[in-house]
Amino acid sequence: MVDYHASNNQASSGGPAVYMDPREQENDWDRDLLLDPAWEKQQRKTFTAWCNSHLRKAGTQIENIEEDFRDGLKLMLLLEVISGERLPKPERGKMRVHKINNVNKALDYIASKGVKLVSIGAEEIVDGNAKMTLGMIWTIILRFAIQDISVEGQSLSFPISLFSFPTRNWKDGLAFNALIHRHRPELIDYDKLRKDDPLTNLNNAFEVAEKYLDIPKMMDAEDIVGTLRPDEKAIMTYVSCFYHAFSGAQKAETAANRICKVLAVNQENEHLMEDYEKLASDLLEWIRRTIPWLENRAPEKTMAEMQQKLEDFRGYRRVHKPPKVQEKCQLEINFNTLQTKLRLSNRPAFMPSEGRMVSDINGSWHNLEGAEKGYEEWMLNEIRRLERLDHLAEKFRQKATIHESWTDGKEAMLTQKDYETASLSEVKALLRKHEAFESDLAAHQDRVEQIAAIAQELNELDYYDSPSVNARCQKICEQWDALGSLTQSRRESLERTEKQLESIDELYLEYAKRAAPFNNWMEGAMEDLQDMFIVHNIEEIQGLITAHEQFKSTLPEANKEREAIQAIQAEVQKIAQYNGIKLSGGNPYTTITPKSIDDKWHKVEQLVPQRDRALQEELAKQQSNDHLRRKFATQANIVGPWIQTKMEEIGRISIEMNGTLEDQLVNLREYEQSIIEYKPNIDQLEGDHQLIQEALIFDNSYTAYTMEHLRVGWEQLLTTIARTINEIENQILTRDAKGISQEQLHEYRTSFNHFDKVRGQHSLCMPCLGDAEFARIMGIVDPNNSGAVTFQAFIDFMSRETTDTDTADQVIASFKILAADKNFITAEELRRELPPDQAEYCIARMAPYSGPDAKPGALDYMSFSTALYGESDL
């Protein structure tokens, strides 16, 4: 048992005050020994200041050391503060017996700590005996302040031998200043101190200690300098405070370093989380804006407008989408890297905001590609429809113009009354002429029906200018009906007159009958030669060329018919001239003159070579289109299998990885570079594909690959190699963080491949484990409940138990040191002990402390520490 008591015999001898280890002191405290008045004054001031330095933690203090401890209440409170333990409940009565009982409880507690109290009783303390009270406080100081120094002092470069200095060695103040300068050199300019100025030295040391080390001033410089030898106990008490101040500073520095490390990891992880959330939000917002544009199916009126839409879509494919593909890939890489860092720092897995999971982004991306595919198909179908509409509209206008040109003046002709004053031959001629007109009218019936059919088809195909087409068609039909009625009326009039007419010129009649069908044939031929055509392949244009050649083969026979008709007119002239007949006007039976026949024949002869050239130009165009098809197909049939082969190679590489992780990473990056260097082949295909679309080529029988298939395959190839590289990088992070050897990694890979079910993802089957244990393990290796386990998660699980990581309890203990054992900490203490940015980080996130000992500005570091490790909400 250790005996803590005072030894003042040096004062009477006048010799040097030599410090004796409290465990070696054997002399009892002499209750009759009178203190030196100067020493008593120093002890009273020093011991009072020492007691108040602890009592202030409980929100109280003493003024008179022998009076304020008489009831035992503050004495018990002092022991609770310095020991950190609870004493028996004090008695609150005012009687002497209550006070003695409280003091005895305090003395019993001191004795329970192995301290032998000699000649110190509760009655003396209650009676206010100054010598006994000072002796008791000195005993407390020896046990609770100085014994720790004798046990632990060497660890702080704070040698026990400091207490062996003669007390006069502290009089010049240099020792106090040297002690501060040893641990806090920035507070003392030791070289400027002078040994011959003890008052300045002492006051400087005491003021610096009070201002920067939170050590209250326990002695007056004048009292130390004014006595031959300062009180040993006062000096030892004062010096012990320096030890505890520097010891606390070292613990605070260690605690601050631990907290800084934890907070730095947390800040970095939060920054990565914020980056992920922003990148995910931006990508999802772009998808949200883009899908409605791709789903817009509002048709355009013209080919030019639809082609502009198609060009906008190509710009989207070339310019806008590729960066988003890269962003999506980078987002997945960032997510995997963040989860790895969280596992390595013993943090809970990151769960993105609702709707921003990787699976949500993949789902939105799938919807985008679905809308994209449907949009392209719709545009191509719409272009085909508009192309068909333009062709029909032009055909309608051409036939309508020909018909309107033919009907021009026909109503006036049918309504004239020329037969009323005509001769018989003229009437007969008029009748024959009318018959020829009716024949001509019947021939044009087919064109009117074609015009009506084209107009109906334009309506069914929703042609934008259908109203004007319908109006023109209606006008033609109404005019045609009127011509029919007028023709019937004129025939009836001529037939009534025919009975009076007898003479008919057979030659004129024969001419008219043969000229009319021939003229119709020529008009039909001219119309066919000028008819527009649309084809999509070589077979179709070759069919048109064959038909045209067949038409040309009939021209010699047609020319013979023309010459025969012209011979009839020549015969009429010959007979008239021979018989001296004077012909008045032209042929009375027809308006078709020999000149008009020759003119139309020459027109046909001009149109034939023009048709030849048009057909040959179209043939060349189709041959060019066929060349484009073959060129695209040749390259596509190389690129498609190449992409498939690379995908299969990556699959094998991800399972059969050999060598160190760094070697695998180098090989994978070289492999990735070789893939990137293949990009010009994809660009060449894109160029060929653009030429095909610009040529409006919609099919290709030479290859099964489409540009869309190749794009998707190329994007998947880039994404897969990037994911594989990211997996190796995360494995390197895990290996370096947890000290896993290459042999251990190889063993982990072999074990993991044993459970391999699907390439790239793995299912673990552990039949030897119970359901609860298996569920716990799966909660660690598969926090997102995806049903699959990556090799990275498998490594983390296999190695996490052997890794020394920070815990919430360790962080709480560190904060408690900074808070001087309080259950809360203040902003001032955080700013004093931590770097500025991390101090402000804690202040912004710590909740106010609400415990029974709370003070204004108190912060709850316990809930903050547990939140760092996912045990509560931050």
Side-chain angles (χ1 to χ4, degrees):
M1 181 172 293
V2 181
D3 180 14
Y4 294 95
H5 54 274
S7 177
N8 284 324
N9 53 2
Q10 292 87 347
S12 59
S13 64
V18 178
Y19 169 70
M20 299 296 293
D21 191 313
R23 293 168 293 186
E24 298 175 359
Q25 295 186 23
E26 298 178 353
N27 296 327
D28 295 337
W29 180 276
D30 186 358
R31 64 182 293 137
D32 297 324
L33 180 63
L34 296 177
L35 291 171
D36 183 307
W39 283 12
E40 180 179 355
K41 176 182 178 182
Q42 292 176 13
Q43 285 186 16
R44 186 185 302 273
K45 179 177 180 62
T46 302
F47 291 178
T48 299
W50 183 86
C51 290
N52 284 334
S53 70
H54 293 287
L55 287 173
R56 66 181 178 178
K57 297 177 183 177
T60 187
Q61 64 178 10
I62 61 172
E63 300 293 338
N64 188 316
I65 194 166
E66 64 267 24
E67 291 294 330
D68 292 347
F69 284 141
R70 290 179 63 187
D71 59 5
L73 294 176
K74 290 187 177 181
L75 179 60
M76 294 179 70
L77 182 61
L78 174 65
L79 291 172
E80 286 184 344
V81 171
I82 62 178
S83 68
E85 300 178 9
R86 298 291 296 177
L87 270 67
K89 186 176 180 181
E91 299 180 10
R92 296 295 178 180
K94 302 295 184 180
M95 300 176 63
R96 177 179 176 82
V97 66
H98 298 138
K99 298 178 181 179
I100 291 174
N101 289 339
N102 288 339
V103 173
N104 275 327
K105 290 178 181 179
L107 296 178
D108 289 343
Y109 176 78
I110 296 172
S112 71
K113 296 302 179 181
V115 179
K116 180 164 62 177
L117 298 169
V118 180
S119 302
I120 299 178
E123 291 80 358
E124 286 88 346
I125 304 301
V126 173
D127 292 338
N129 186 313
K131 182 169 73 69
M132 290 298 108
T133 301
L134 292 174
M136 177 188 65
I137 297 302
W138 172 242
T139 300
I140 293 173
I141 292 172
L142 283 174
R143 171 61 181 85
F144 293 101
I146 297 179
Q147 181 184 5
D148 292 341
I149 299 176
S150 66
V151 174
E152 302 172 0
Q154 298 297 335
S155 64
L156 258 183
S157 299
F158 196 94
I160 298 173
S161 59
L162 283 175
F163 293 116
S164 301
F165 285 5
T167 54
R168 63 176 175 272
N169 288 355
W170 297 91
K171 287 183 61 175
D172 60 7
L174 292 179
F176 282 106
N177 283 278
L179 185 58
I180 297 174
H181 185 267
R182 174 64 181 82
H183 294 278
R184 296 288 298 275
E186 75 278 5
L187 299 180
I188 298 291
D189 189 353
Y190 192 80
D191 294 337
K192 291 185 178 180
L193 300 177
R194 302 199 331 268
K195 187 175 182 63
D196 60 355
D197 190 3
L199 280 176
T200 300
N201 296 340
L202 289 167
N203 284 326
N204 181 66
F206 296 164
E207 290 170 1
V208 169
E210 184 173 27
K211 182 176 181 181
Y212 296 104
L213 304 180
D214 199 25
I215 300 174
K217 187 175 182 181
M218 297 184 177
M219 301 181 71
D220 293 326
E222 292 77 9
D223 292 341
I224 296 175
V225 174
T227 58
L228 179 63
R229 182 163 60 88
D231 179 60
E232 175 186 343
K233 300 179 180 60
I235 294 295
M236 290 176 66
T237 301
Y238 212 159
V239 173
S240 72
C241 292
F242 282 88
Y243 165 79
H244 289 292
F246 294 135
S247 175
Q250 186 182 51
K251 292 179 181 178
E253 181 180 0
T254 301
N257 289 337
R258 177 181 289 275
I259 292 172
C260 288
K261 174 186 173 184
V262 172
L263 295 179
V265 172
N266 216 62
Q267 287 175 307
E268 180 183 2
N269 291 339
E270 286 187 356
H271 178 68
L272 291 175
M273 293 176 190
E274 292 170 358
D275 287 349
Y276 174 89
E277 290 283 347
K278 183 178 185 307
L279 188 58
S281 296
D282 293 345
L283 182 58
L284 288 171
E285 177 61 18
W286 178 82
I287 294 174
R288 185 192 66 78
R289 294 195 312 268
T290 304
I291 287 180
W293 175 66
L294 294 173
E295 291 177 341
N296 180 19
R297 299 294 188 270
E300 301 294 343
K301 295 180 179 180
T302 65
M303 278 283 291
E305 291 172 332
M306 280 306 301
Q307 287 174 340
Q308 181 58 48
K309 269 196 172 184
L310 183 61
E311 185 60 32
D312 292 342
F313 182 73
R314 291 173 185 155
Y316 157 80
R317 278 275 183 78
R318 292 193 306 267
V319 178
H320 300 290
K321 186 181 177 185
K324 299 302 177 183
V325 173
Q326 181 61 32
E327 287 180 16
K328 177 176 175 292
C329 178
Q330 189 61 45
L331 190 69
E332 295 180 4
I333 291 174
N334 290 353
F335 181 84
N336 293 335
T337 300
L338 173 59
Q339 298 293 40
T340 298
K341 290 187 175 182
L342 288 172
R343 288 193 295 271
L344 292 177
S345 59
N346 200 23
R347 301 304 197 273
F350 170 57
M351 294 298 293
S353 302
E354 183 177 357
R356 296 178 184 172
M357 294 289 291
V358 173
S359 59
D360 296 324
I361 295 172
N362 288 335
S364 297
W365 191 265
H366 178 73
N367 295 336
L368 173 73
E369 292 183 331
E372 182 178 303
K373 184 176 185 300
Y375 187 67
E376 184 175 25
E377 291 175 352
W378 172 78
M379 281 195 297
L380 294 177
N381 291 333
E382 194 64 13
I383 287 174
R384 294 188 188 102
R385 185 182 71 85
L386 290 175
E387 183 183 34
R388 174 66 176 163
L389 284 175
D390 286 352
H391 171 69
L392 289 174
E394 184 60 27
K395 191 171 185 178
F396 173 86
R397 286 190 289 270
Q398 185 183 62
K399 287 186 177 294
T401 300
I402 293 174
H403 177 78
E404 290 166 348
S405 176
W406 179 84
T407 59
D408 184 37
K410 294 298 189 291
E411 289 185 8
M413 181 195 73
L414 292 173
T415 57
Q416 64 184 343
K417 305 296 184 179
D418 53 340
Y419 54 85
E420 294 180 349
T421 59
S423 63
L424 179 61
S425 61
E426 290 174 342
V427 170
K428 287 183 179 291
L430 288 175
L431 184 58
R432 300 300 179 268
K433 180 179 180 182
H434 187 70
E435 290 174 351
F437 172 77
E438 287 179 327
S439 176
D440 198 10
L441 186 68
H444 285 79
Q445 175 69 32
D446 182 63
R447 182 187 296 121
V448 175
E449 292 175 355
Q450 291 178 6
I451 291 173
I454 294 172
Q456 182 178 358
E457 187 173 359
L458 286 172
N459 282 325
E460 293 173 351
L461 293 177
D462 197 23
Y463 182 55
Y464 79 97
D465 199 22
S466 289
S468 64
V469 170
N470 292 336
R472 191 173 184 183
C473 180
Q474 182 67 24
K475 182 179 179 181
I476 290 173
C477 291
E478 291 175 354
Q479 185 185 40
W480 184 256
D481 292 338
L483 286 178
S485 298
L486 291 173
T487 300
Q488 181 65 26
S489 176
R490 183 172 178 81
R491 167 172 278 280
E492 293 173 354
S493 298
L494 288 173
E495 287 177 347
R496 285 194 302 269
T497 309
E498 186 182 18
K499 296 178 182 180
Q500 303 172 8
L501 302 176
E502 298 175 349
S503 178
I504 297 173
D505 190 339
E506 293 296 336
L507 290 174
Y508 271 156
L509 184 58
E510 183 181 0
Y511 176 91
K513 289 182 177 180
R514 296 182 68 175
F518 186 74
N519 183 71
N520 289 336
W521 175 85
M522 286 193 297
E523 287 182 347
M526 286 189 295
E527 183 177 349
D528 291 339
L529 289 171
Q530 297 178 81
D531 192 21
M532 296 179 64
F533 58 84
I534 179 172
V535 295
H536 297 93
N537 52 55
I538 293 177
E539 290 75 15
E540 291 178 1
I541 188 61
Q542 286 177 341
L544 293 178
I545 292 174
T546 300
H548 183 62
E549 292 299 325
Q550 292 175 351
F551 167 77
K552 289 196 296 183
S553 67
T554 65
L555 290 179
E557 286 297 325
N559 189 42
K560 290 180 181 179
E561 178 64 11
R562 182 187 66 83
E563 290 174 351
I565 293 172
Q566 295 292 44
I568 293 173
Q569 180 64 26
E571 184 64 15
V572 169
Q573 296 294 335
K574 179 179 178 182
I575 293 174
Q577 185 177 8
Y578 179 76
N579 294 302
I581 299 173
K582 185 177 181 181
L583 300 176
S584 60
N587 192 322
Y589 303 115
T590 181
T591 59
I592 301 173
T593 65
K595 183 179 184 303
S596 69
I597 290 176
D598 285 341
D599 289 343
K600 290 179 180 180
W601 177 257
H602 294 322
K603 181 65 175 177
V604 169
E605 289 181 324
Q606 292 174 359
L607 290 175
V608 167
Q610 292 177 8
R611 186 71 168 185
D612 284 333
R613 286 193 296 274
L615 292 172
Q616 291 302 318
E617 288 172 358
E618 183 63 28
L619 176 62
K621 175 184 174 182
Q622 292 303 323
Q623 290 173 339
S624 174
N625 289 352
D626 195 67
H627 172 71
L628 291 176
R629 289 188 183 95
R630 292 177 182 274
K631 182 179 179 183
F632 175 86
T634 299
Q635 185 66 9
N637 289 336
I638 295 174
V639 172
W642 182 86
I643 291 176
Q644 181 62 31
T645 299
K646 293 302 178 182
M647 288 293 290
E648 294 172 354
E649 289 178 357
I650 293 174
R652 291 194 299 271
I653 290 172
S654 65
I655 296 177
E656 302 172 359
M657 292 182 175
N658 297 317
T660 66
L661 291 178
E662 285 75 8
D663 293 339
Q664 295 173 24
L665 187 60
V666 170
N667 293 336
L668 281 172
R669 284 176 174 162
E670 291 175 354
Y671 194 84
E672 181 185 36
Q673 184 60 35
S674 70
I675 291 174
I676 293 173
E677 290 173 355
Y678 198 76
K679 183 67 164 53
N681 296 284
I682 304 298
D683 295 338
Q684 178 184 345
L685 267 180
E686 288 284 4
D688 294 342
H689 179 63
Q690 182 172 348
L691 293 176
I692 285 176
Q693 288 195 324
E694 290 172 351
L696 299 179
I697 299 172
F698 304 111
D699 56 8
N700 193 338
S701 61
Y702 300 112
T703 181
Y705 293 101
T706 66
M707 196 63 232
E708 176 62 25
H709 294 157
L710 295 175
R711 286 194 197 102
V712 172
W714 176 252
E715 292 169 359
Q716 290 178 344
L717 180 61
L718 294 179
T719 301
T720 301
I721 187 63
R723 285 174 179 164
T724 305
I725 290 174
N726 178 246
E727 180 182 9
I728 298 303
E729 290 173 339
N730 287 338
Q731 291 177 23
I732 292 175
L733 284 175
T734 303
R735 182 201 65 191
D736 294 344
K738 298 188 176 183
I740 300 174
S741 67
Q742 186 65 32
E743 290 73 19
Q744 286 176 305
L745 280 176
H746 178 71
E747 181 179 349
Y748 289 163
R749 170 61 74 176
T750 302
S751 299
F752 184 75
N753 288 340
H754 177 69
F755 296 106
D756 187 10
K757 300 300 182 185
V758 180
R759 179 176 59 80
Q761 297 290 325
H762 303 264
S763 301
L764 292 182
C765 178
M766 301 183 181
C768 59
L769 299 177
D771 292 341
E773 179 63 9
F774 182 76
R776 183 189 72 80
I777 294 175
M778 288 304 294
I780 296 173
V781 299
D782 184 22
N784 295 325
N785 293 323
S786 64
V789 180
T790 65
F791 180 56
Q792 181 60 40
F794 182 79
I795 293 177
D796 292 337
F797 171 75
M798 295 295 290
S799 59
R800 68 181 297 169
E801 297 300 326
T802 61
T803 303
D804 182 21
T805 57
D806 295 315
T807 65
D809 290 340
Q810 290 175 326
V811 177
I812 290 173
S814 298
F815 272 118
K816 192 172 185 67
I817 293 174
L818 297 188
D821 289 335
K822 298 192 299 295
N823 293 326
F824 59 85
I825 195 166
T826 65
E828 180 183 0
E829 289 170 329
L830 288 171
R831 291 190 176 102
R832 183 179 69 231
E833 302 296 345
L834 299 179
D837 60 333
Q838 295 183 339
E840 298 305 322
Y841 178 83
C842 292
I843 293 169
R845 286 164 173 76
M846 281 188 182
Y849 176 71
S850 58
D853 53 342
K855 293 184 178 181
L859 299 175
D860 188 352
Y861 61 78
M862 294 185 183
S863 64
F864 173 77
S865 300
T866 58
L868 288 177
Y869 291 87
E871 300 176 13
S872 63
D873 294 332
L874 185 59

